[in-house]
Amino acid sequence: MSQPTSTGGLEITHPQSKSMKNRPKRKLTPQQLENRTAYLFLTPWFLGLIFITIGPVLASLYLSFTRYNILRPPRWIGFENYYNILFMDRQFWTSVKVTFFYVGWSVPLVLIMSLAVATVLNRGLALLPIYRSIFYIPSLMGGSVGIGLLWREVFGAQGVFNDALAIFGMAGRSWIAIPETAPWILVTLNVWTFGASMVIFLAALRQIPASLYEAASIDGASAWTRFRRITIPMLTPIVFFNAVLLTIQSFQSFTQSYIVSGGTGGPADSTLLYSLYLYQRAFVQLDMGYGSAMAWILLLSIASFTGLIFWSAKYWVFYGE
Amino acid sequence: MANVILKDLTKRYGGGALTAVSSLNLSIEDGEFLVLVGPSGCGKSTALRMIAGLEEITSGEVSINDNVVNDVHAKDRDIAMVFQNYALYPHMSVYDNMAFALQIAKFPSEEIKKKVHEVAAILQLEPFLKRRPGQLSGGQRQRVAMGRAIVRQPSVFLMDEPLSNLDAKLRVQMRSEIARIQDRLQVTTIYVTHDQIEAMTMGDRVALMKDGMLQQVDTPSNIYGRPANTFVASFIGSPAMNLFHANIGDPLADGASLRLGSHQLHIPQKVFEVRSELKEYFNRDVIAGIRPEDMDDAALTNSHPDNETISARIVLAEALGSDIIIHLDFDAKMAEVIDPDTLSDISKSLDGENAGICVARFDAKSQAKAGETVKVSVDCERLHFFDSETGLAIRGD
């Protein structure tokens, strides 16, 4: 075995080996060798990142400036897609409105619902793991096609929901066929999947030291005051985390509106979520350039909203010691 | 201001499987500083939490200011508590932490401000009022916790090991500070600790607990000088009292002889006068207790009677500067000491069941070294005696 000629990363040059031929082959330091191995193991992931994520993202950016219907090669049209979307397309603005309604209601409702249930479950129930699992199940399958179909049936004219209303003598109707109620079905479907946020809240609640509550009860704080002045402030980092996650997810919501409306976004575009409209333009009307431009607008909107939440965090999120 | 009376206070967990506190009877006078001390798991914190209303009482009574408060909510007991981890609200400023209880009680904000600033001045916290607890040092946080309790002007302070999270130096400083504040405010205080130095230095009286049961409640000097049983004797004092199985001989004109293994000591007549019950123990086995400080290097003590001297080999000498802790090879059988934390128990486990170690505190001037055999003078008037069956002190008063 030849001895390495480098020490601590410094190469020792031999005065007699001036020509390239005679120069000893450069040896790698252990650190460099380790890095090389790491990159080797990371290669599959890098390939995925480049070909499945970055590649399509950049391609869509290019396509958003073209007219492209898959059959013919893309044709560069500059900002025309963006102009058309923002200034000529009324249906686009309808989908924006529906999406804002959807996000604006479902994010706060999911937060409230998950925190409320987590607080109730945190009272030391004996069967907590079972309850926790039951509440978490909808999160696991909430976005699935099967559940979408199920909800369609539940809130349809002959659905279970109406059967339940009938017990109280109330007349039912097809809740998904009326523009006023259909968006609420989507919101309900989203709120129903509060389990994921709830599990996070539950974990966070258990991190709050019991002595804080004890000190507060000796100080005379009622249960509500303790919740308002200790639980909520101590949970703000988790509220923040959940709010960011839910906002990003909700903006991208697709399956529910696709299934509930049968892919149309109806009735009267009342369930036409942004992603569904994007899908219609890109994959039904095969206007890939238009769809790509819409995707980029969505990406920038989500980024701005997330940025806004991050910016606001300094005013309401408290990080412990 | 108020007195606190505990009557047969009992706490059981797990449907009675575990008794944390067993029939605790204590009466704490108005303005008194009582220290509840004992090894971990002895039930002292549980007792305090029952007084605070944070723990349900299984049986017995807690009275504050002569009113039974068993069913009174914690907030209505007019108490303030300082927690071991301080339990400061991390998201609130020091000011808000201290003002919290007053804000809830709906005091006018001007009055809250005045009170908080007053207390902050006493505790030298004024520069930190706008900071959050996370930005304070351990000692400052501890003072905020104290301040939060003081600002409410409660009838009773309850403190649950408030100094145990501080480093040794700060602990000494805060110890005197708490004692000073209590002395100034004259508020009835119940202070829980496992630290015998805190117990001895801070309390008007010390209540020592073990396994949920009260062992002795008395002034610090009596707890030290007249321990009620072997547990109290071994728990209070550092190094702990040496406890040996011994035998008292026949009565003599000037007292009696005490046999400790192969060693012999003389019990002066005076001891029998002070401990009249001891007369019933002639020719009987007892447990004899010798405090390390009641022994010294005989070379340093002039004219010490020979029959109050033992000679033994030094196993280990630890020079502390002010004095020297001497571990002597001692063949008397060590008494079963109940507290696992005590030194004698550790040395017993190191050296085997019967090989005894006697710990003495020599004057720093002593030249004694490990490996040598020295003559040790014992102050036999200060020997302690306990019944070998019950472990109770033999006193007779």
Side-chain angles (χ1 to χ4, degrees):
Chain A
M1 283 276 283
S2 62
Q3 290 296 310
T5 52
S6 64
T7 46
L10 269 177
E11 265 194 70
I12 301 165
T13 49
H14 300 274
Q16 70 271 30
S17 59
K18 277 185 184 157
S19 73
M20 285 290 282
K21 211 175 176 183
N22 290 340
R23 208 157 86 178
K25 206 176 164 190
R26 196 171 74 93
K27 297 275 178 180
L28 292 173
T29 64
Q31 183 63 53
Q32 283 169 325
L33 257 173
E34 206 171 284
N35 287 350
R36 205 177 255 202
T37 315
Y39 281 120
L40 194 69
F41 276 106
L42 283 170
T43 309
W45 181 81
F46 270 122
L47 290 177
L49 178 74
I50 292 163
F51 290 106
I52 301 175
T53 307
I54 297 179
V57 166
L58 293 177
S60 81
L61 182 62
Y62 164 71
L63 290 176
S64 74
F65 295 105
T66 65
R67 183 157 295 147
Y68 178 49
N69 65 359
I70 302 181
L71 302 173
R72 286 197 208 125
R75 188 163 58 85
W76 185 268
I77 54 168
F79 280 94
E80 200 181 305
N81 281 331
Y82 289 94
Y83 180 83
N84 286 341
I85 289 168
L86 295 173
F87 300 107
M88 313 296 279
D89 189 346
R90 291 184 62 181
Q91 213 178 4
F92 165 81
W93 286 109
T94 307
S95 77
V96 168
K97 228 164 76 183
V98 171
T99 307
F100 269 101
F101 176 90
Y102 175 75
V103 175
W105 278 103
S106 50
V107 172
L109 283 176
V110 171
L111 286 175
I112 292 168
M113 186 80 176
S114 53
L115 180 56
V117 175
T119 309
V120 172
L121 288 187
N122 193 38
R123 299 167 77 106
L125 294 174
L127 300 173
L128 176 65
I130 294 171
Y131 289 119
R132 198 169 45 198
S133 309
I134 289 172
F135 284 112
Y136 188 62
I137 289 170
S139 294
L140 293 176
M141 49 187 210
S144 71
V145 175
I147 294 298
L149 286 169
L150 184 71
W151 278 66
R152 239 183 102 136
E153 293 312 311
V154 168
F155 290 101
Q158 310 301 321
V160 182
F161 187 66
N162 282 344
D163 290 347
L165 285 182
I167 295 171
F168 301 101
M170 291 158 86
R173 47 184 166 171
S174 176
W175 302 92
I176 52 170
I178 299 166
E180 284 75 36
T181 55
W184 286 105
I185 302 303
L186 291 188
V187 171
T188 314
L189 192 44
N190 195 4
V191 174
W192 186 58
T193 62
F194 66 88
S197 310
M198 182 210 71
V199 169
I200 299 171
F201 273 131
L202 200 52
L205 280 170
R206 306 191 131 209
Q207 296 294 314
I208 303 177
S211 61
L212 290 187
Y213 293 110
E214 289 174 352
S217 25
I218 290 177
D219 278 347
S222 62
W224 170 243
T225 310
R226 291 199 294 272
F227 181 73
R228 197 168 52 85
R229 295 200 58 180
I230 293 168
T231 310
I232 297 277
M234 296 293 281
L235 284 183
T236 49
I238 306 303
V239 174
F240 170 69
F241 173 78
N242 275 334
V244 169
L245 226 59
L246 287 168
T247 305
I248 293 172
Q249 279 168 3
S250 304
F251 266 116
Q252 301 181 73
S253 220
F254 170 78
T255 320
Q256 292 97 322
S257 68
Y258 181 82
I259 300 297
V260 167
S261 70
T264 63
D269 287 344
S270 62
T271 60
L272 187 68
L273 288 183
Y274 194 98
S275 299
L276 180 59
Y277 183 49
L278 189 159
Y279 168 82
Q280 286 180 353
R281 292 301 298 227
F283 295 97
V284 178
Q285 300 172 23
L286 288 185
D287 200 346
M288 286 292 170
Y290 202 88
S292 296
M294 278 188 70
W296 273 87
I297 292 172
L298 177 63
L299 178 74
L300 294 176
S301 309
I302 292 177
S304 329
F305 270 95
T306 311
L308 197 69
I309 300 176
F310 268 90
W311 170 81
S312 74
K314 63 180 174 205
Y315 296 107
W316 62 276
V317 177
F318 163 73
Y319 288 103
E321 294 153 47
Chain B
M1 306 301 136
N3 59 358
V4 177
I5 295 166
L6 313 181
K7 212 161 117 191
D8 290 325
L9 192 63
T10 300
K11 176 73 190 182
R12 286 193 203 96
Y13 290 107
L18 179 83
T19 305
V21 177
S22 175
S23 292
L24 179 63
N25 287 293
L26 266 178
S27 170
I28 301 122
E29 300 299 316
D30 184 8
E32 188 181 357
F33 195 125
L34 180 99
V35 178
L36 262 178
V37 69
S40 33
C42 73
K44 55 193 190 299
S45 283
T46 310
L48 191 79
R49 291 170 60 82
M50 282 194 280
I51 301 169
L54 297 174
E55 204 82 55
E56 236 169 81
I57 296 167
T58 309
S59 65
E61 270 180 16
V62 174
S63 308
I64 297 176
N65 217 5
D66 297 323
N67 296 316
V68 177
V69 293
N70 285 31
D71 299 321
V72 177
H73 192 274
K75 68 178 163 55
D76 300 320
R77 293 191 182 192
D78 198 14
I79 48 147
M81 186 152 167
V82 179
F83 292 81
Q84 183 174 358
N85 62 1
Y86 315 139
L88 298 176
Y89 311 121
H91 53 286
M92 294 184 201
S93 65
V94 168
Y95 179 92
D96 283 333
N97 263 285
M98 288 168 71
F100 189 72
L102 302 178
Q103 287 166 352
I104 285 171
K106 301 222 159 38
F107 276 66
S109 62
E110 273 309 305
E111 198 178 332
I112 295 176
K113 201 173 160 186
K114 193 171 147 252
K115 281 176 184 249
V116 171
H117 279 276
E118 254 173 38
V119 174
I122 299 175
L123 295 167
Q124 293 155 10
L125 281 172
E126 276 182 315
F128 312 114
L129 284 176
K130 282 186 183 155
R131 292 204 197 163
R132 291 219 171 117
Q135 299 166 303
L136 302 178
S137 70
Q140 288 162 345
R141 274 184 235 183
Q142 212 287 327
R143 288 214 296 271
V144 177
M146 284 291 296
R148 189 169 66 176
I150 295 169
V151 92
R152 295 180 46 200
Q153 298 178 310
S155 301
V156 182
F157 279 141
L158 303 175
M159 303 192 190
D160 190 4
E161 309 220 15
L163 303 183
S164 59
N165 282 4
L166 300 179
D167 62 57
K169 205 173 162 190
L170 209 50
R171 201 151 54 209
V172 174
Q173 194 186 327
M174 286 308 296
R175 204 163 70 202
S176 57
E177 202 157 331
I178 290 177
R180 180 177 62 82
I181 290 165
Q182 200 274 341
D183 193 47
R184 176 172 165 174
L185 301 173
Q186 284 298 313
V187 176
T188 314
T189 302
I190 304 172
Y191 185 106
V192 162
T193 182
H194 65 269
D195 183 321
Q196 51 161 309
I197 301 176
E198 282 173 30
M200 297 298 282
T201 54
M202 298 173 81
D204 295 324
R205 279 193 307 157
V206 176
L208 212 159
M209 287 179 74
K210 185 200 148 233
D211 297 340
M213 278 182 280
L214 185 66
Q215 304 293 309
Q216 187 173 3
V217 53
D218 216 324
T219 59
S221 67
N222 276 351
I223 285 264
Y224 185 83
R226 298 163 57 79
N229 56 39
T230 47
F231 174 76
V232 178
S234 62
F235 188 84
I236 299 289
S238 177
M241 183 189 284
N242 302 288
L243 292 166
F244 295 104
H245 287 284
N247 185 278
I248 299 178
D250 289 323
L252 303 169
D254 58 345
S257 67
L258 179 73
R259 197 158 49 76
L260 290 147
S262 64
H263 304 279
Q264 192 101 9
L265 281 172
H266 174 72
I267 310 170
Q269 185 59 34
K270 202 176 158 192
V271 174
F272 289 93
E273 283 160 20
V274 176
R275 299 171 186 268
S276 55
E277 267 180 23
L278 200 58
K279 286 176 190 142
E280 289 157 33
Y281 285 82
F282 287 121
N283 288 313
R284 277 176 67 185
D285 286 341
V286 290
I287 292 172
I290 316 171
R291 289 244 181 241
E293 49 275 37
D294 294 334
M295 289 184 268
D296 207 345
D297 189 347
L300 301 173
T301 47
N302 291 328
S303 67
H304 194 80
D306 262 357
N307 59 5
E308 293 183 16
T309 306
I310 50 174
S311 59
R313 194 175 62 84
I314 300 176
V315 179
L316 176 70
E318 301 168 299
L320 301 180
S322 56
D323 38 37
I324 310 170
I325 304 297
I326 300 282
H327 298 247
L328 298 161
D329 192 2
F330 209 71
D331 65 356
K333 192 180 171 211
M334 293 171 84
E336 200 66 44
V337 180
I338 312 128
D339 178 25
D341 298 336
T342 55
L343 196 66
S344 39
D345 221 41
I346 294 165
S347 50
K348 186 172 73 186
S349 62
L350 287 174
D351 302 327
E353 183 67 32
N354 290 315
I357 290 285
C358 180
V359 180
R361 189 191 288 272
F362 279 13
D363 192 282
K365 288 200 272 301
S366 168
Q367 301 294 316
K369 287 190 179 57
E372 293 176 358
T373 299
V374 284
K375 285 198 155 198
V376 181
S377 61
V378 180
D379 186 347
C380 287
E381 280 185 16
R382 295 173 66 92
L383 286 172
H384 297 259
F385 297 94
F386 305 90
D387 188 285
S388 60
E389 302 280 314
T390 62
L392 294 175
I394 304 167
R395 291 204 294 233
D397 46 2

